[in-house]
Amino acid sequence: MAVVIGKDFEDDLEFLLQGVSEFDLQGGSIASEVLVHGPLAFPIGTTGDGRAFLAGAYYGQGRVIVVTHEGFLGRETLAPLWINAIHWLDEGRQGVVGVEPGYVVDTLSKSGLNCEKSNFRKDLSVFVCTAYRDDHAQEIQDFVAEGGGLLIGGHAWYWAQTHHGQNTLTDFSGNKILNKMGLSLLGATIGGGLYKAPVPSQVIKDTYHFRHLLHRFAGYVLQGDVLSKHEEECLTKLGQDCANYLHMNAHDSFCYAQVVSTLTDMLNSSMPQVCDSCPVKSPKDHLLLNVATEVYKVSKDPDALLPYIIKNNPLMPVVYNHRIKIDVNTAEGDEWISTGLYLSPGMKTYMAIPPEIVNKDWKIQIGCHTDRLNAQELKRAPCVYERFLIDSEMMQVWNLWGGLIYLIAPPKTQVDRIEVAVQMAVPAPYYKSGVTTAAEWSKLRKAPAPWAELEFDNIILTVPSDYARNLDNPDELAAHWNEIMKAIADLAAKPHEFPRKERFVTDVQISAGWMHAGYPVMAHNHSAPELVDVTNAWSNGIWGPIHELGHNQQRSCWELPPNTTEATCNLWSVYVHEEVLGINREKAHPCLTVENRNSRIKEYVEGGKKINSWSVWLALETYLQLQEKFGWDGLKKVFAAYHQMSNFPKNNEGKMNLYAETFSKTVELNLTGFFKAWGWPIEKATEEKLSNLPLWSDHPMAQYA
C-alpha cells in the first residue's frame, strides 16, 4: 500500500520533529523496542543501530503514535515532541484529548488542546493510554480506523520476562491493540541515553524500515538485485525482525500472508544447507538460516517446505507407543528427563501426558543443543531446539531440526511412578547405570538416532551416537565418572548425591569458547572422545571437562569476579587429577610446572602487585599455596564453613576480607600477612579480629612482603 500511494512519511516527520533535535531517554527507565512492520507505519526515534523506541502509523482514517515507555510522556525535555504529536493526531479538529487516569498530563496540556483525564470514549479526538490494558482493544482500533488519534505508551520487556512460555506478539495487551496498526512491542530492551532525531529528508535513505528492506532483500535473492552497503549492514536486524513478525500468527491478514509467501519463496529458491564442512558465512545465508524455523512453524504446508530446508533427511526406523516411567524430585532448577527417543527433522509425534503434570509448568523439549549461536560463521542453524509447555493430556510435538526428546520438570517438584506414552519416535542409544543391563546395551547401542545419552549417578553425557556404539563396557565408564563426581562433591563439601545431575552435551558449534559451563555444560563434538575414553583420561587427564564442572561449583559468596572466574574452577581440575586420576598438577596442565608458577609470581611482584593483574593462573597460585600448606582438607573446611553463612558482602574487597577471616579461623592461624603479600586489600578491622591467632610468618610470599 505504501508503495502504491507513494508515501514516504517525510512530511509527517517534518511536522512531528519541529523544534526536536534529540530524544532524551536518560535515566533508569528501560524501554522496549518496537517493530515497525505496517505498510503505513514509520519509525520516528531510533537508536544508532536502527532499533525504534518511537514510531507512528496511519490506520484507516486515523493515526497512532507509540512510545515504548509510558514514563517518557511526562518528561519535560520531550514536551515539544508531545505537543507536535498531539496536534498530528488531532489533525486540526481541536477536539478533546482524553488521558487515561494515572498519566501525567502537564506536557500534553501545553498543546493548547483541551486535555482531560478520561477513560476511553468515542467522542474523543485523541486518546492517550498505556499499553497495559486491552479491555477496549477492538473499540480503540475502530476509533482510530474511523479517524481518531491514539498516543500509547508502555514497554513489553518486563511482561515477556515474567510470562515465560507466552507469545509477546500475540498475548501482550498492548500488541492486541497495535499489531493491526503495523506496530508491535517486543521483549527486547533499549537503554537510556540521548538519541539524535532523524533528518526527515534523509529518512528513506538512512532509516531502517522492515517492510521496505524485506522487499529489497527479496529482489536480491530472487531476481539478483543489488543491495546498498547500508542495506547489507541491516540484514542481521531484518532477520531478527522477520522472526519476531512471524510470531504474530496473523494468518487472516493479507500483509502477513504476503510476508510468509515472500520468505517461503526465498527458502525454496536459496536455502543454504549448513553443516560442519559447509558453514554459512554470507549475510544472505545467515538471514535465511535464521528465519527458516519460524517460516516452517507458520507455513500452511510445512511438509512441502521441509525438503527445501533440509535436503538430506533419511528415513529412520521407529518404535510405536513407547512408554516412559518417571520418578522425579527436583531441587532449585529445571531438570531435563531423558526419554531415550529422538525425532527426525520435521517429524511429528503425539505424547500422552498424565494429568498430574498438566498445567504445572512442565515442558517437552525436542533437541539437546540449547546454545543460541551468534557468530560470523555458522555450522548449524542459530537455534535448533523447541520447547512446548504441557497444557494438555495429549501434546503434538516436533522440531524442524529434529532432536532427542526430553521432559523438563520444574523446580521443587516431586512425582512418583507416572507414565508418559510417545506415539512414534526413533530409538536412541541410551544407557542408564544401574538400570540398563549388558544384554540391553548390546541392542540399544545400535539404535539409529544420531545422538546418544549415557546417564550415570551424577552426570549425563550426550554425544554423537558413533562414540556410544563403540562403547563395549559402559559400566567401566560409569564407575569412572561416578568417582570423578564424588570427588567434585567432596571438594565442594557437599553430599555425594547431586541435587540435579550435571549434563554434558557436545555440538558441532557452541556459543562460546572450547567448552562452557552451565546446565548443560557445552562442548564441541571433538571433545566427545575425551568424555567416553577411560584409558585416555587415566593417561592424559581430562582438564577441560573438569574445569567446566568446577565452574558449576563456584559460588558468588567467595568468588571474586572477574579475577578468579577462570581460576578457582581449576581447583577442581587439580583435585580430580591428583586424587582420582593420579596425575600430579605439573603433568595435569603445562601452566602448573614449578618454573611457570615461579615466573608468574616474580613478574607479578616486580609489576607492583597490581590486583587487576591478579587473575587466571596467577590467582589460582594463591589458592594452591594455601592448599599446599593446609592440604585439601583445609579448603574443604573453608567451603563447608561458607555453607553455614549468610549475608555476604557484595563487593570484592568485602569478600576478600571475609575469605581471609574464614580461612584463618578454619586453620587457626592468622593469614592476613599472606593475603597482604598477595596485594589483597586486608582491612585493619580484619587484622584486629584475627590478632589473637598465631601469625603465619613463613608463608611462600614472605620473601616478597
Side-chain angles (χ1 to χ4, degrees):
M1 291 172 63
V3 174
V4 171
I5 66 173
K7 188 70 177 168
D8 62 9
F9 310 109
E10 182 178 338
D11 53 343
D12 301 290
L13 289 170
E14 289 279 6
F15 187 98
L16 289 164
L17 298 176
Q18 292 177 67
V20 179
S21 60
E22 61 184 12
F23 303 106
D24 177 14
L25 270 60
Q26 297 177 102
S29 297
I30 300 175
S32 277
E33 181 182 352
V34 58
L35 175 60
V36 184
H37 56 80
L40 296 174
F42 58 98
I44 302 170
T46 64
T47 61
D49 56 358
R51 293 174 296 134
F53 53 81
L54 179 67
Y58 287 83
Y59 181 65
Q61 296 183 44
R63 301 175 176 183
V64 58
I65 287 178
V66 58
V67 61
T68 60
H69 195 293
E70 70 279 9
F72 298 143
L73 282 167
R75 184 162 291 188
E76 190 64 32
T77 53
L78 294 174
L81 170 68
W82 303 132
I83 292 170
N84 296 341
I86 289 294
H87 282 286
W88 185 78
L89 294 167
D90 177 66
E91 296 189 71
R93 292 185 292 268
Q94 299 291 308
V96 175
V97 178
V99 182
E100 186 178 80
Y103 255 138
V104 178
V105 297
D106 292 350
T107 55
L108 306 180
S109 299
K110 294 177 182 178
S111 65
L113 298 178
N114 179 17
C115 294
E116 60 182 58
K117 290 189 176 182
S118 170
N119 288 311
F120 174 76
R121 61 180 203 263
K122 293 183 178 180
D123 64 331
L124 298 172
S125 174
V126 179
F127 182 50
V128 183
C129 64
T130 68
Y132 308 128
R133 293 176 57 185
D134 60 7
D135 45 341
H136 294 287
Q138 183 62 56
E139 294 173 272
I140 291 173
Q141 288 170 348
D142 293 344
F143 166 74
V144 177
E146 293 166 6
L150 175 66
L151 176 57
I152 183 169
H155 57 75
W157 61 264
Y158 181 78
W159 185 94
Q161 291 180 9
T162 54
H163 290 74
H164 297 291
Q166 295 192 46
N167 185 339
T168 307
L169 272 292
T170 57
D171 299 336
F172 176 63
S173 55
N175 287 333
K176 293 179 182 179
I177 299 171
L178 290 168
N179 283 349
K180 286 187 176 181
M181 301 179 184
L183 302 164
S184 298
L185 291 163
L186 303 178
T189 60
I190 290 177
L194 281 174
Y195 298 101
K196 290 184 179 179
V199 178
S201 60
Q202 296 293 311
V203 73
I204 295 299
K205 178 181 177 183
D206 296 336
T207 301
Y208 167 88
H209 193 289
F210 167 69
R211 190 168 290 275
H212 295 170
L213 184 55
L214 179 59
H215 175 74
R216 293 279 296 129
F217 181 68
Y220 167 65
V221 173
L222 300 172
Q223 300 166 16
D225 295 347
V226 178
L227 298 178
S228 69
K229 183 179 179 181
H230 174 69
E231 288 171 330
E232 287 183 350
E233 291 171 348
C234 292
L235 289 185
T236 298
K237 176 165 176 53
L238 177 63
Q240 295 167 347
D241 285 349
C242 284
N244 285 323
Y245 179 82
L246 293 172
H247 290 169
M248 278 197 296
N249 299 317
H251 297 285
D252 57 346
S253 161
F254 171 76
C255 290
Y256 185 85
Q258 193 176 48
V259 170
V260 173
S261 176
T262 299
L263 291 171
T264 300
D265 288 345
M266 287 190 279
L267 293 176
N268 287 344
S269 167
S270 303
M271 178 65 192
Q273 298 301 299
V274 63
C275 63
D276 191 7
S277 59
C278 187
V280 158
K281 300 178 182 179
S282 73
K284 180 195 83 169
D285 287 347
H286 262 254
L287 193 156
L288 294 175
L289 199 55
N290 264 296
V291 303
T293 303
E294 303 305 329
V295 176
Y296 178 80
K297 288 180 187 176
V298 302
S299 173
K300 289 186 176 180
D301 192 356
D303 292 337
L305 181 60
L306 181 62
Y308 292 95
I309 298 177
I310 302 175
K311 293 181 179 178
N312 182 22
N313 189 14
L315 289 174
M316 296 183 188
V318 300
V319 292
Y320 295 94
N321 195 29
H322 187 88
R323 297 181 180 273
I324 304 141
K325 294 181 180 179
I326 298 171
D327 293 283
V328 164
N329 188 3
T330 63
E332 296 297 325
D334 286 347
E335 186 169 331
W336 299 7
I337 301 166
S338 301
T339 65
L341 298 174
Y342 171 85
L343 289 184
S344 299
M347 180 180 175
K348 296 180 174 65
T349 194
Y350 282 95
M351 295 179 66
I353 307 296
E356 295 96 317
I357 65 173
V358 174
N359 291 319
K360 298 289 177 62
D361 205 28
W362 282 66
K363 302 177 185 71
I364 299 167
Q365 177 174 297
I366 313 298
C368 56
H369 302 112
T370 52
D371 259 11
R372 290 179 178 268
L373 304 183
N374 181 19
Q376 292 295 317
E377 181 176 290
L378 293 173
K379 297 181 179 180
R380 65 158 170 84
C383 180
V384 291
Y385 76 101
E386 290 289 345
R387 279 184 182 163
F388 301 83
L389 185 67
I390 295 178
D391 56 7
S392 168
E393 290 184 37
M394 187 61 69
M395 300 282 299
Q396 188 183 44
V397 296
W398 69 91
N399 180 7
L400 168 62
W401 306 103
L404 293 169
I405 303 176
Y406 299 91
L407 289 158
I408 301 183
K412 299 180 180 178
T413 296
Q414 183 171 1
V415 296
D416 299 308
R417 298 182 180 180
I418 64 170
E419 189 174 79
V420 173
V422 181
Q423 173 209 22
M424 176 179 65
V426 178
Y430 175 49
Y431 167 88
K432 186 172 184 178
S433 59
V435 176
T436 308
T437 66
E440 288 171 334
W441 177 243
S442 68
K443 295 179 181 179
L444 284 171
R445 66 196 288 188
K446 300 172 185 175
W451 294 98
E453 293 208 312
L454 305 165
E455 181 170 349
F456 309 135
D457 288 356
N458 283 306
I459 193 167
I460 304 166
L461 310 178
T462 307
V463 297
S465 290
D466 286 344
Y467 296 107
R469 293 190 183 110
N470 295 328
L471 192 61
D472 295 322
N473 190 357
D475 289 344
E476 180 187 30
L477 184 63
H480 166 71
W481 275 104
N482 289 346
E483 287 303 310
I484 289 174
M485 299 309 292
K486 284 178 183 177
I488 287 173
D490 281 340
L491 182 56
K494 294 179 179 178
H496 283 173
E497 184 177 350
F498 280 48
R500 177 177 68 177
K501 294 183 181 184
E502 296 277 18
R503 279 185 175 270
F504 254 98
V505 172
T506 62
D507 195 356
V508 66
Q509 186 176 6
I510 65 175
S511 60
W514 183 247
M515 297 181 185
H516 69 74
Y519 183 82
V521 176
M522 293 300 304
H524 290 86
N525 285 342
H526 306 298
S527 299
E530 192 176 11
L531 298 174
V532 301
D533 190 336
V534 176
T535 302
N536 181 69
W538 282 85
S539 301
N540 302 311
I542 45 172
W543 186 277
I546 309 306
H547 170 96
E548 303 305 338
L549 292 172
H551 271 306
N552 284 355
Q553 295 302 319
Q554 289 173 319
R555 293 186 64 204
S556 62
C557 55
W558 46 257
E559 188 63 21
L560 308 170
N563 303 69
T564 61
T565 302
E566 296 298 329
T568 52
C569 57
N570 284 328
L571 290 171
W572 276 266
S573 293
V574 176
Y575 183 74
V576 167
H577 280 75
E578 292 191 341
E579 300 299 311
V580 177
L581 303 177
I583 301 173
N584 68 43
R585 58 195 69 185
E586 284 195 63
K587 291 183 179 179
H589 200 287
C591 287
L592 293 183
T593 63
V594 173
E595 294 80 7
N596 284 332
R597 291 175 64 183
N598 289 338
S599 65
R600 279 193 297 270
I601 296 172
K602 183 179 179 183
E603 183 180 349
Y604 176 66
V605 172
E606 290 176 351
K609 300 180 184 177
K610 296 176 181 175
I611 203 68
N612 288 340
S613 63
W614 180 78
S615 62
V616 194
W617 298 107
L618 187 65
L620 177 64
E621 183 63 33
T622 302
Y623 297 91
L624 289 181
Q625 287 182 350
L626 290 167
Q627 184 274 325
E628 287 166 349
K629 169 64 177 178
F630 302 105
W632 290 113
D633 280 348
L635 285 174
K636 292 175 186 178
K637 289 176 182 177
V638 170
F639 289 138
Y642 272 89
H643 293 322
Q644 308 303 319
M645 298 161 60
S646 58
N647 300 321
F648 301 104
K650 300 298 183 184
N651 58 39
N652 279 3
E653 290 77 10
K655 290 189 206 177
M656 285 173 155
N657 278 272
L658 178 60
Y659 192 83
E661 179 184 345
T662 303
F663 214 120
S664 295
K665 290 180 177 178
T666 299
V667 298
E668 298 181 343
L669 274 179
N670 184 340
L671 308 183
T672 54
F674 168 76
F675 288 110
K676 287 172 70 177
W678 269 106
W680 282 31
I682 301 301
E683 299 169 355
K684 286 186 178 180
T686 303
E687 293 185 88
E688 290 173 1
K689 288 180 185 177
L690 303 172
S691 59
N692 61 324
L693 294 175
L695 193 65
W696 184 24
S697 56
D698 60 345
H699 58 79
M701 298 296 288
Q703 58 183 310
Y704 306 115

